[in-house]
Amino acid sequence: MLKVSGIEVFYGDLQVLWDVSFEVRDKEILVLVGANGAGKSTTLKTISGLIKPRKGTIEFDGIRLDQLPPDQVIGKGVVHVPEARRLFREMSVEENLIMGSLAPEARKKRTQTMEWVYELFPRMKERRKQATGTLSGGEQQMCAIGRGLMALPKIMMFDEPSLGLSPILVQEVFEIAKRINKEGVTVLLVEQNVRQTLTMCDRAYVLENGRVVLEGTGKSLMDNPHVKEAYLGI
Ligand code: ATP
Protein backbone atom coordinates (compact mmCIF):
# COMPACT_ATOMS: atom_id res chain seq x y z
CA MET A 1 0.00 0.00 0.00
CA LEU A 2 2.78 2.42 1.03
CA LYS A 3 6.25 1.79 -0.36
CA VAL A 4 9.25 3.77 0.77
CA SER A 5 12.28 2.99 -1.39
CA GLY A 6 15.82 4.06 -0.63
CA ILE A 7 15.10 7.50 0.77
CA GLU A 8 17.99 9.73 1.79
CA VAL A 9 17.04 12.79 3.83
CA PHE A 10 19.11 15.79 4.92
CA TYR A 11 18.63 18.81 7.17
CA GLY A 12 20.91 21.26 5.34
CA ASP A 13 24.20 19.38 4.99
CA LEU A 14 23.37 16.93 7.77
CA GLN A 15 22.21 13.54 6.51
CA VAL A 16 19.75 11.82 8.87
CA LEU A 17 18.27 9.00 6.75
CA TRP A 18 20.37 6.58 4.68
CA ASP A 19 18.74 4.35 2.07
CA VAL A 20 15.60 3.78 4.17
CA SER A 21 13.20 1.29 2.58
CA PHE A 22 10.10 -0.33 4.00
CA GLU A 23 6.55 -1.12 3.04
CA VAL A 24 3.22 -0.98 4.78
CA ARG A 25 0.63 -3.51 3.66
CA ASP A 26 -3.07 -2.81 3.36
CA LYS A 27 -4.94 -3.02 6.71
CA GLU A 28 -1.93 -3.96 8.82
CA ILE A 29 -0.42 -2.32 11.91
CA LEU A 30 3.20 -1.59 11.08
CA VAL A 31 5.59 -0.20 13.66
CA LEU A 32 8.85 1.65 13.18
CA VAL A 33 10.77 1.41 16.42
CA GLY A 34 13.97 3.12 17.37
CA ALA A 35 15.72 5.17 20.00
CA ASN A 36 15.71 8.94 20.38
CA GLY A 37 17.11 10.59 17.26
CA ALA A 38 17.02 7.42 15.12
CA GLY A 39 15.07 9.28 12.43
CA LYS A 40 11.52 8.10 13.06
CA SER A 41 9.86 11.53 13.01
CA THR A 42 11.91 12.53 9.98
CA THR A 43 10.64 9.44 8.14
CA LEU A 44 7.00 10.35 8.83
CA LYS A 45 7.57 13.99 7.92
CA THR A 46 9.08 12.87 4.63
CA ILE A 47 6.08 10.66 3.84
CA SER A 48 3.75 13.58 4.68
CA GLY A 49 5.55 15.87 2.23
CA LEU A 50 6.88 18.22 4.92
CA ILE A 51 10.46 17.30 3.95
CA LYS A 52 11.59 16.27 0.47
CA PRO A 53 13.97 13.31 0.15
CA ARG A 54 17.16 13.97 -1.81
CA LYS A 55 17.05 10.42 -3.17
CA GLY A 56 14.53 7.60 -3.26
CA THR A 57 10.80 7.36 -3.85
CA ILE A 58 7.58 7.07 -1.85
CA GLU A 59 4.57 5.45 -3.45
CA PHE A 60 1.07 5.07 -2.10
CA ASP A 61 -1.43 2.87 -3.97
CA GLY A 62 0.88 3.15 -6.97
CA ILE A 63 0.99 6.97 -6.92
CA ARG A 64 4.25 8.87 -6.29
CA LEU A 65 3.94 10.99 -3.13
CA ASP A 66 7.50 12.25 -2.84
CA GLN A 67 7.02 15.33 -5.01
CA LEU A 68 3.57 16.29 -3.70
CA PRO A 69 2.90 19.11 -1.22
CA PRO A 70 1.52 18.06 2.21
CA ASP A 71 -2.11 19.03 1.49
CA GLN A 72 -2.16 16.76 -1.56
CA VAL A 73 -0.62 13.90 0.42
CA ILE A 74 -3.46 14.25 2.95
CA GLY A 75 -5.93 14.35 0.06
CA LYS A 76 -4.70 10.86 -0.99
CA GLY A 77 -5.66 9.54 2.46
CA VAL A 78 -2.20 9.61 4.05
CA VAL A 79 -2.69 11.33 7.40
CA HIS A 80 -0.08 12.19 10.02
CA VAL A 81 -0.85 12.64 13.73
CA PRO A 82 2.26 14.59 14.70
CA GLU A 83 4.35 14.27 17.83
CA ALA A 84 3.41 16.48 20.78
CA ARG A 85 -0.11 16.81 19.43
CA ARG A 86 0.20 20.21 17.74
CA LEU A 87 -3.39 21.17 18.48
CA PHE A 88 -4.69 24.71 18.20
CA ARG A 89 -4.73 25.25 21.95
CA GLU A 90 -7.04 28.28 22.09
CA MET A 91 -9.60 26.58 19.92
CA SER A 92 -12.26 24.13 21.11
CA VAL A 93 -12.23 20.38 20.48
CA GLU A 94 -14.88 20.80 17.80
CA GLU A 95 -13.01 23.61 16.05
CA ASN A 96 -9.86 21.48 16.02
CA LEU A 97 -11.79 18.58 14.52
CA ILE A 98 -13.14 20.87 11.81
CA MET A 99 -9.56 21.93 10.98
CA GLY A 100 -8.86 18.28 10.20
CA SER A 101 -11.48 18.20 7.47
CA LEU A 102 -10.53 21.04 5.14
CA ALA A 103 -9.86 18.91 2.05
CA PRO A 104 -12.88 18.88 -0.33
CA GLU A 105 -13.79 15.21 0.14
CA ALA A 106 -13.40 15.36 3.94
CA ARG A 107 -15.38 18.60 4.09
CA LYS A 108 -18.34 16.98 2.31
CA LYS A 109 -18.49 14.19 4.88
CA ARG A 110 -17.64 16.37 7.90
CA THR A 111 -20.86 15.93 9.92
CA GLN A 112 -20.92 12.19 9.46
CA THR A 113 -17.20 11.78 10.26
CA MET A 114 -17.54 13.91 13.38
CA GLU A 115 -20.30 11.61 14.61
CA TRP A 116 -17.94 8.65 14.09
CA VAL A 117 -15.15 10.43 16.00
CA TYR A 118 -17.54 11.20 18.87
CA GLU A 119 -18.64 7.58 18.89
CA LEU A 120 -14.99 6.46 19.17
CA PHE A 121 -14.22 9.13 21.77
CA PRO A 122 -17.31 9.94 23.89
CA ARG A 123 -15.04 12.10 26.07
CA MET A 124 -14.44 14.38 23.11
CA LYS A 125 -18.17 14.83 22.68
CA GLU A 126 -18.51 15.83 26.32
CA ARG A 127 -15.65 18.31 25.94
CA ARG A 128 -16.46 19.54 22.47
CA LYS A 129 -16.77 23.21 23.50
CA GLN A 130 -13.64 23.19 25.70
CA ALA A 131 -10.36 24.80 24.61
CA THR A 132 -7.91 22.00 23.87
CA GLY A 133 -5.15 23.77 25.83
CA THR A 134 -7.10 22.96 29.01
CA LEU A 135 -7.49 19.22 28.29
CA SER A 136 -5.40 16.54 29.99
CA GLY A 137 -2.50 14.99 28.06
CA GLY A 138 -4.52 11.89 27.21
CA GLU A 139 -7.51 13.92 26.06
CA GLN A 140 -5.28 16.06 23.88
CA GLN A 141 -3.91 12.92 22.28
CA MET A 142 -7.49 11.71 21.60
CA CYS A 143 -8.35 15.05 20.05
CA ALA A 144 -5.23 14.92 17.86
CA ILE A 145 -6.19 11.43 16.70
CA GLY A 146 -9.79 12.57 16.15
CA ARG A 147 -8.55 15.49 14.05
CA GLY A 148 -6.54 13.05 11.94
CA LEU A 149 -9.60 10.84 11.44
CA MET A 150 -11.56 13.86 10.21
CA ALA A 151 -9.29 13.85 7.14
CA LEU A 152 -10.61 10.37 6.20
CA PRO A 153 -7.32 8.46 6.34
CA LYS A 154 -6.63 5.28 4.41
CA ILE A 155 -3.41 5.12 6.36
CA MET A 156 -2.92 6.85 9.69
CA MET A 157 0.62 7.61 10.83
CA PHE A 158 1.08 8.12 14.56
CA ASP A 159 4.25 9.81 15.80
CA GLU A 160 4.97 8.60 19.35
CA PRO A 161 1.42 8.82 20.64
CA SER A 162 2.51 7.42 24.00
CA LEU A 163 4.90 10.29 24.70
CA GLY A 164 4.31 11.88 28.10
CA LEU A 165 1.31 9.68 28.99
CA SER A 166 0.86 7.53 32.07
CA PRO A 167 1.06 3.72 31.56
CA ILE A 168 -2.75 3.39 31.66
CA LEU A 169 -3.20 6.08 29.05
CA VAL A 170 -0.47 4.58 26.90
CA GLN A 171 -2.44 1.34 26.93
CA GLU A 172 -5.59 3.26 26.02
CA VAL A 173 -3.93 5.04 23.10
CA PHE A 174 -2.67 1.74 21.70
CA GLU A 175 -6.15 0.26 22.08
CA ILE A 176 -7.48 3.22 20.09
CA ALA A 177 -4.93 2.57 17.33
CA LYS A 178 -6.10 -1.07 17.23
CA ARG A 179 -9.75 0.01 17.06
CA ILE A 180 -9.06 2.41 14.22
CA ASN A 181 -7.26 -0.41 12.43
CA LYS A 182 -10.29 -2.71 12.93
CA GLU A 183 -12.43 -0.02 11.31
CA GLY A 184 -10.35 -0.56 8.16
CA VAL A 185 -7.61 2.06 8.49
CA THR A 186 -4.01 0.92 7.95
CA VAL A 187 -1.76 2.03 10.82
CA LEU A 188 1.88 3.15 10.72
CA LEU A 189 3.09 3.74 14.23
CA VAL A 190 6.41 5.25 15.22
CA GLU A 191 7.51 4.53 18.78
CA GLN A 192 10.27 4.35 21.34
CA ASN A 193 8.00 2.19 23.42
CA VAL A 194 9.36 -1.02 21.94
CA ARG A 195 7.91 -3.73 24.17
CA GLN A 196 4.27 -2.69 23.94
CA THR A 197 4.30 -1.86 20.26
CA LEU A 198 5.99 -5.09 19.20
CA THR A 199 3.28 -6.97 21.09
CA MET A 200 0.42 -5.25 19.30
CA CYS A 201 1.72 -4.90 15.72
CA ASP A 202 1.66 -7.19 12.70
CA ARG A 203 5.17 -6.31 11.53
CA ALA A 204 7.94 -3.93 12.50
CA TYR A 205 11.17 -2.35 11.31
CA VAL A 206 13.97 -1.22 13.60
CA LEU A 207 15.62 2.09 12.74
CA GLU A 208 19.08 2.90 14.12
CA ASN A 209 21.06 6.03 13.28
CA GLY A 210 18.94 6.69 10.21
CA ARG A 211 19.15 3.17 8.80
CA VAL A 212 16.77 0.19 8.82
CA VAL A 213 18.68 -2.58 10.59
CA LEU A 214 16.03 -5.25 11.20
CA GLU A 215 12.56 -6.22 10.11
CA GLY A 216 10.11 -8.94 10.94
CA THR A 217 6.90 -9.82 12.69
CA GLY A 218 6.43 -8.27 16.14
CA LYS A 219 6.90 -11.71 17.68
CA SER A 220 10.10 -12.54 15.79
CA LEU A 221 11.64 -9.21 16.77
CA MET A 222 10.70 -9.74 20.42
CA ASP A 223 12.78 -12.92 20.22
CA ASN A 224 15.69 -11.28 18.40
CA PRO A 225 18.85 -11.14 20.56
CA HIS A 226 19.81 -7.61 19.44
CA VAL A 227 16.31 -6.27 20.14
CA LYS A 228 16.27 -8.01 23.50
CA GLU A 229 19.56 -6.51 24.53
CA ALA A 230 19.27 -3.03 23.03
CA TYR A 231 15.58 -2.30 23.59
CA LEU A 232 14.06 -4.72 26.05
CA GLY A 233 16.86 -4.82 28.61
CA ILE A 234 16.87 -8.66 28.75
P1 ATP B 1 12.70 11.50 18.63
O1 ATP B 1 12.03 10.36 19.26
O2 ATP B 1 13.68 12.17 19.53
O3 ATP B 1 11.83 12.45 17.87
P2 ATP B 1 13.36 10.42 16.08
O4 ATP B 1 13.75 9.00 15.87
O5 ATP B 1 11.99 10.80 15.69
O6 ATP B 1 13.67 10.81 17.56
P3 ATP B 1 14.21 12.56 14.39
O7 ATP B 1 13.44 13.59 15.14
O8 ATP B 1 13.73 12.13 13.07
O9 ATP B 1 14.44 11.28 15.30
O10 ATP B 1 15.72 13.09 14.26
C1 ATP B 1 16.73 12.40 13.54
C2 ATP B 1 17.99 13.23 13.54
O11 ATP B 1 17.78 14.45 12.83
C3 ATP B 1 18.45 13.63 14.94
O12 ATP B 1 19.84 13.54 14.97
C4 ATP B 1 17.99 15.06 15.08
O13 ATP B 1 18.86 15.78 15.92
C5 ATP B 1 18.07 15.57 13.64
N1 ATP B 1 17.07 16.61 13.36
C6 ATP B 1 15.74 16.50 13.54
N2 ATP B 1 15.10 17.63 13.15
C7 ATP B 1 16.07 18.46 12.72
C8 ATP B 1 16.08 19.79 12.17
N3 ATP B 1 14.94 20.46 11.99
N4 ATP B 1 17.27 20.34 11.86
C9 ATP B 1 18.42 19.64 12.03
N5 ATP B 1 18.49 18.40 12.52
C10 ATP B 1 17.35 17.81 12.86
Side-chain angles (χ1 to χ4, degrees), residues 18-58:
W18 280 265
D19 194 23
V20 168
S21 300
F22 63 92
E23 59 177 31
V24 190
R25 301 173 188 158
D26 195 20
K27 306 284 189 287
E28 78 174 340
I29 300 183
L30 184 96
V31 182
L32 217 54
V33 292
N36 235 327
K40 306 181 300 298
S41 301
T42 302
T43 303
L44 292 195
K45 285 180 192 157
T46 309
I47 296 169
S48 308
L50 296 166
I51 306 174
K52 300 289 169 218
R54 224 178 257 188
K55 263 193 182 165
T57 58
I58 302 171

Short mmCIF file of all heavy atoms in Angstrom, two decimals, residues 18-58:
data_model
loop_
_atom_site.label_atom_id
_atom_site.label_comp_id
_atom_site.label_asym_id
_atom_site.label_seq_id
_atom_site.Cartn_x
_atom_site.Cartn_y
_atom_site.Cartn_z
N TRP A 18 19.52 7.22 5.70
CA TRP A 18 20.37 6.58 4.68
C TRP A 18 19.61 5.41 4.07
O TRP A 18 19.33 4.43 4.80
CB TRP A 18 21.64 6.03 5.32
CG TRP A 18 22.71 7.04 5.56
CD1 TRP A 18 23.78 7.32 4.73
CD2 TRP A 18 22.88 7.87 6.71
NE1 TRP A 18 24.57 8.28 5.31
CE2 TRP A 18 24.05 8.63 6.52
CE3 TRP A 18 22.14 8.07 7.88
CZ2 TRP A 18 24.52 9.55 7.45
CZ3 TRP A 18 22.59 8.99 8.81
CH2 TRP A 18 23.77 9.73 8.59
N ASP A 19 19.27 5.49 2.82
CA ASP A 19 18.74 4.35 2.07
C ASP A 19 17.63 3.62 2.85
O ASP A 19 17.65 2.40 2.98
CB ASP A 19 19.92 3.40 1.78
CG ASP A 19 19.55 2.36 0.74
OD1 ASP A 19 18.63 2.62 -0.05
OD2 ASP A 19 20.19 1.28 0.73
N VAL A 20 16.69 4.39 3.37
CA VAL A 20 15.60 3.78 4.17
C VAL A 20 14.52 3.23 3.24
O VAL A 20 13.98 3.96 2.40
CB VAL A 20 15.01 4.81 5.16
CG1 VAL A 20 13.71 4.28 5.77
CG2 VAL A 20 16.02 5.13 6.25
N SER A 21 14.24 1.95 3.38
CA SER A 21 13.20 1.29 2.58
C SER A 21 12.31 0.46 3.51
O SER A 21 12.83 -0.24 4.38
CB SER A 21 13.81 0.33 1.56
OG SER A 21 14.65 1.00 0.67
N PHE A 22 11.03 0.57 3.30
CA PHE A 22 10.10 -0.33 4.00
C PHE A 22 8.75 -0.24 3.32
O PHE A 22 8.52 0.65 2.50
CB PHE A 22 9.98 0.01 5.50
CG PHE A 22 9.42 1.37 5.80
CD1 PHE A 22 8.07 1.57 6.01
CD2 PHE A 22 10.27 2.47 5.89
CE1 PHE A 22 7.56 2.83 6.30
CE2 PHE A 22 9.78 3.74 6.18
CZ PHE A 22 8.42 3.91 6.39
N GLU A 23 7.88 -1.21 3.61
CA GLU A 23 6.55 -1.12 3.04
C GLU A 23 5.49 -1.38 4.10
O GLU A 23 5.74 -2.09 5.08
CB GLU A 23 6.38 -2.08 1.86
CG GLU A 23 6.62 -3.52 2.21
CD GLU A 23 6.38 -4.45 1.03
OE1 GLU A 23 6.59 -4.04 -0.11
OE2 GLU A 23 5.96 -5.58 1.29
N VAL A 24 4.35 -0.77 3.89
CA VAL A 24 3.22 -0.98 4.78
C VAL A 24 2.12 -1.63 3.95
O VAL A 24 1.76 -1.12 2.89
CB VAL A 24 2.68 0.36 5.36
CG1 VAL A 24 1.68 0.08 6.47
CG2 VAL A 24 3.81 1.25 5.86
N ARG A 25 1.65 -2.78 4.42
CA ARG A 25 0.63 -3.51 3.66
C ARG A 25 -0.76 -3.05 4.08
O ARG A 25 -0.96 -2.63 5.22
CB ARG A 25 0.79 -5.01 3.89
CG ARG A 25 2.16 -5.47 3.45
CD ARG A 25 2.39 -6.92 3.81
NE ARG A 25 3.78 -7.28 3.54
CZ ARG A 25 4.42 -8.29 4.09
NH1 ARG A 25 3.80 -9.07 4.97
NH2 ARG A 25 5.67 -8.54 3.80
N ASP A 26 -1.69 -3.22 3.13
CA ASP A 26 -3.07 -2.81 3.36
C ASP A 26 -3.63 -3.43 4.64
O ASP A 26 -3.50 -4.64 4.85
CB ASP A 26 -3.89 -3.25 2.14
CG ASP A 26 -5.24 -2.58 2.10
OD1 ASP A 26 -5.41 -1.52 2.75
OD2 ASP A 26 -6.14 -3.10 1.41
N LYS A 27 -4.20 -2.60 5.50
CA LYS A 27 -4.94 -3.02 6.71
C LYS A 27 -4.07 -3.56 7.85
O LYS A 27 -4.58 -4.09 8.83
CB LYS A 27 -6.02 -4.07 6.41
CG LYS A 27 -7.01 -3.70 5.33
CD LYS A 27 -8.04 -2.70 5.80
CE LYS A 27 -9.15 -2.48 4.80
NZ LYS A 27 -8.76 -1.71 3.60
N GLU A 28 -2.75 -3.45 7.72
CA GLU A 28 -1.93 -3.96 8.82
C GLU A 28 -1.58 -2.84 9.81
O GLU A 28 -1.81 -1.66 9.56
CB GLU A 28 -0.65 -4.62 8.29
CG GLU A 28 0.44 -3.68 7.87
CD GLU A 28 1.74 -4.41 7.49
OE1 GLU A 28 1.96 -5.57 7.88
OE2 GLU A 28 2.55 -3.78 6.78
N ILE A 29 -1.03 -3.27 10.97
CA ILE A 29 -0.42 -2.32 11.91
C ILE A 29 1.08 -2.52 11.78
O ILE A 29 1.60 -3.59 12.13
CB ILE A 29 -0.86 -2.56 13.37
CG1 ILE A 29 -2.37 -2.43 13.51
CG2 ILE A 29 -0.13 -1.60 14.31
CD1 ILE A 29 -2.89 -2.58 14.94
N LEU A 30 1.75 -1.51 11.25
CA LEU A 30 3.20 -1.59 11.08
C LEU A 30 3.86 -0.61 12.04
O LEU A 30 3.40 0.52 12.18
CB LEU A 30 3.61 -1.22 9.66
CG LEU A 30 5.12 -1.41 9.49
CD1 LEU A 30 5.43 -2.76 8.89
CD2 LEU A 30 5.76 -0.31 8.70
N VAL A 31 4.91 -1.07 12.71
CA VAL A 31 5.59 -0.20 13.66
C VAL A 31 7.02 0.03 13.22
O VAL A 31 7.70 -0.89 12.75
CB VAL A 31 5.59 -0.84 15.07
CG1 VAL A 31 6.26 0.09 16.05
CG2 VAL A 31 4.19 -1.12 15.54
N LEU A 32 7.45 1.27 13.39
CA LEU A 32 8.85 1.65 13.18
C LEU A 32 9.37 1.99 14.55
O LEU A 32 8.92 2.97 15.16
CB LEU A 32 8.82 2.90 12.31
CG LEU A 32 9.85 3.15 11.24
CD1 LEU A 32 9.94 2.01 10.27
CD2 LEU A 32 9.47 4.43 10.50
N VAL A 33 10.26 1.13 15.08
CA VAL A 33 10.77 1.41 16.42
C VAL A 33 12.21 1.89 16.32
O VAL A 33 12.92 1.60 15.36
CB VAL A 33 10.69 0.18 17.37
CG1 VAL A 33 9.27 -0.16 17.71
CG2 VAL A 33 11.42 -1.02 16.81
N GLY A 34 12.61 2.62 17.35
CA GLY A 34 13.97 3.12 17.37
C GLY A 34 14.15 4.08 18.53
O GLY A 34 13.17 4.59 19.07
N ALA A 35 15.42 4.30 18.86
CA ALA A 35 15.72 5.17 20.00
C ALA A 35 15.53 6.64 19.60
O ALA A 35 15.28 6.95 18.43
CB ALA A 35 17.15 4.93 20.45
N ASN A 36 15.69 7.50 20.59
CA ASN A 36 15.71 8.94 20.38
C ASN A 36 16.67 9.32 19.26
O ASN A 36 17.83 8.89 19.29
CB ASN A 36 16.30 9.55 21.66
CG ASN A 36 15.37 10.55 22.21
OD1 ASN A 36 14.67 11.23 21.45
ND2 ASN A 36 15.35 10.68 23.52
N GLY A 37 16.19 10.09 18.29
CA GLY A 37 17.11 10.59 17.26
C GLY A 37 17.42 9.59 16.16
O GLY A 37 18.23 9.87 15.29
N ALA A 38 16.75 8.44 16.15
CA ALA A 38 17.02 7.42 15.12
C ALA A 38 16.53 7.85 13.73
O ALA A 38 17.00 7.33 12.72
CB ALA A 38 16.37 6.10 15.50
N GLY A 39 15.58 8.79 13.72
CA GLY A 39 15.07 9.28 12.43
C GLY A 39 13.62 8.92 12.17
O GLY A 39 13.13 9.02 11.05
N LYS A 40 12.91 8.54 13.23
CA LYS A 40 11.52 8.10 13.06
C LYS A 40 10.62 9.26 12.63
O LYS A 40 9.85 9.14 11.68
CB LYS A 40 11.00 7.48 14.37
CG LYS A 40 11.88 6.36 14.92
CD LYS A 40 11.35 5.74 16.19
CE LYS A 40 11.20 6.69 17.37
NZ LYS A 40 12.45 7.32 17.85
N SER A 41 10.71 10.38 13.36
CA SER A 41 9.86 11.53 13.01
C SER A 41 10.21 12.04 11.62
O SER A 41 9.31 12.41 10.85
CB SER A 41 10.05 12.69 14.00
OG SER A 41 9.75 12.27 15.29
N THR A 42 11.48 12.05 11.31
CA THR A 42 11.91 12.53 9.98
C THR A 42 11.29 11.65 8.89
O THR A 42 10.84 12.15 7.85
CB THR A 42 13.45 12.51 9.89
OG1 THR A 42 13.97 13.32 10.94
CG2 THR A 42 13.94 13.01 8.55
N THR A 43 11.23 10.34 9.13
CA THR A 43 10.64 9.44 8.14
C THR A 43 9.17 9.80 7.91
O THR A 43 8.72 9.93 6.77
CB THR A 43 10.75 7.97 8.64
OG1 THR A 43 12.12 7.70 8.88
CG2 THR A 43 10.21 7.00 7.63
N LEU A 44 8.42 10.01 9.00
CA LEU A 44 7.00 10.35 8.83
C LEU A 44 6.83 11.71 8.16
O LEU A 44 5.96 11.88 7.31
CB LEU A 44 6.28 10.36 10.18
CG LEU A 44 6.11 9.01 10.89
CD1 LEU A 44 5.07 9.12 12.01
CD2 LEU A 44 5.72 7.89 9.94
N LYS A 45 7.67 12.66 8.54
CA LYS A 45 7.57 13.99 7.92
C LYS A 45 7.87 13.92 6.42
O LYS A 45 7.31 14.67 5.63
CB LYS A 45 8.54 14.96 8.59
CG LYS A 45 8.07 15.42 9.96
CD LYS A 45 9.07 16.38 10.58
CE LYS A 45 8.77 16.61 12.04
NZ LYS A 45 9.96 17.08 12.78
N THR A 46 8.75 13.01 6.05
CA THR A 46 9.08 12.87 4.63
C THR A 46 7.90 12.26 3.88
O THR A 46 7.54 12.71 2.79
CB THR A 46 10.36 12.01 4.45
OG1 THR A 46 11.38 12.54 5.31
CG2 THR A 46 10.85 12.03 3.03
N ILE A 47 7.26 11.26 4.48
CA ILE A 47 6.08 10.66 3.84
C ILE A 47 4.98 11.71 3.68
O ILE A 47 4.31 11.80 2.66
CB ILE A 47 5.57 9.44 4.64
CG1 ILE A 47 6.63 8.34 4.66
CG2 ILE A 47 4.26 8.91 4.06
CD1 ILE A 47 6.33 7.20 5.63
N SER A 48 4.82 12.55 4.71
CA SER A 48 3.75 13.58 4.68
C SER A 48 4.03 14.71 3.72
O SER A 48 3.18 15.58 3.57
CB SER A 48 3.61 14.25 6.04
OG SER A 48 3.46 13.36 7.03
N GLY A 49 5.24 14.78 3.17
CA GLY A 49 5.55 15.87 2.23
C GLY A 49 6.09 17.11 2.91
O GLY A 49 6.28 18.14 2.26
N LEU A 50 6.35 17.04 4.22
CA LEU A 50 6.88 18.22 4.92
C LEU A 50 8.37 18.39 4.62
O LEU A 50 8.91 19.49 4.68
CB LEU A 50 6.67 18.08 6.43
CG LEU A 50 5.22 18.05 6.88
CD1 LEU A 50 5.11 17.58 8.33
CD2 LEU A 50 4.59 19.43 6.72
N ILE A 51 9.05 17.27 4.33
CA ILE A 51 10.46 17.30 3.95
C ILE A 51 10.57 16.51 2.65
O ILE A 51 9.90 15.49 2.49
CB ILE A 51 11.33 16.57 5.01
CG1 ILE A 51 11.08 17.14 6.41
CG2 ILE A 51 12.81 16.66 4.66
CD1 ILE A 51 11.81 16.37 7.52
N LYS A 52 11.40 17.00 1.75
CA LYS A 52 11.59 16.27 0.47
C LYS A 52 12.85 15.40 0.56
O LYS A 52 13.90 15.88 0.99
CB LYS A 52 11.76 17.26 -0.70
CG LYS A 52 10.57 18.17 -0.89
CD LYS A 52 9.37 17.40 -1.44
CE LYS A 52 8.11 18.23 -1.38
NZ LYS A 52 6.92 17.48 -1.04
N PRO A 53 12.76 14.14 0.15
CA PRO A 53 13.97 13.31 0.15
C PRO A 53 14.90 13.74 -0.98
O PRO A 53 14.43 14.16 -2.04
CB PRO A 53 13.43 11.90 -0.10
CG PRO A 53 12.14 12.10 -0.82
CD PRO A 53 11.58 13.42 -0.37
N ARG A 54 16.21 13.63 -0.75
CA ARG A 54 17.16 13.97 -1.81
C ARG A 54 17.26 12.81 -2.81
O ARG A 54 17.57 13.01 -3.97
CB ARG A 54 18.53 14.26 -1.20
CG ARG A 54 19.16 15.49 -1.83
CD ARG A 54 20.48 15.81 -1.20
NE ARG A 54 20.38 16.93 -0.29
CZ ARG A 54 21.45 17.50 0.27
NH1 ARG A 54 22.66 17.05 0.02
NH2 ARG A 54 21.30 18.51 1.09
N LYS A 55 17.03 11.62 -2.31
CA LYS A 55 17.05 10.42 -3.17
C LYS A 55 15.91 9.52 -2.74
O LYS A 55 15.46 9.59 -1.60
CB LYS A 55 18.34 9.66 -2.95
CG LYS A 55 19.43 9.93 -3.92
CD LYS A 55 20.48 8.84 -3.72
CE LYS A 55 21.67 9.01 -4.60
NZ LYS A 55 22.75 8.15 -4.11
N GLY A 56 15.53 8.60 -3.62
CA GLY A 56 14.53 7.60 -3.26
C GLY A 56 13.12 8.03 -3.64
O GLY A 56 12.89 9.16 -4.06
N THR A 57 12.19 7.09 -3.47
CA THR A 57 10.80 7.36 -3.85
C THR A 57 9.83 6.89 -2.75
O THR A 57 10.17 6.03 -1.94
CB THR A 57 10.43 6.60 -5.15
OG1 THR A 57 10.64 5.21 -4.91
CG2 THR A 57 11.24 7.06 -6.33
N ILE A 58 8.65 7.50 -2.76
CA ILE A 58 7.58 7.07 -1.85
C ILE A 58 6.33 6.90 -2.70
O ILE A 58 5.93 7.84 -3.40
CB ILE A 58 7.35 8.12 -0.75
CG1 ILE A 58 8.64 8.35 0.04
CG2 ILE A 58 6.21 7.68 0.18
CD1 ILE A 58 8.59 9.52 1.00
#
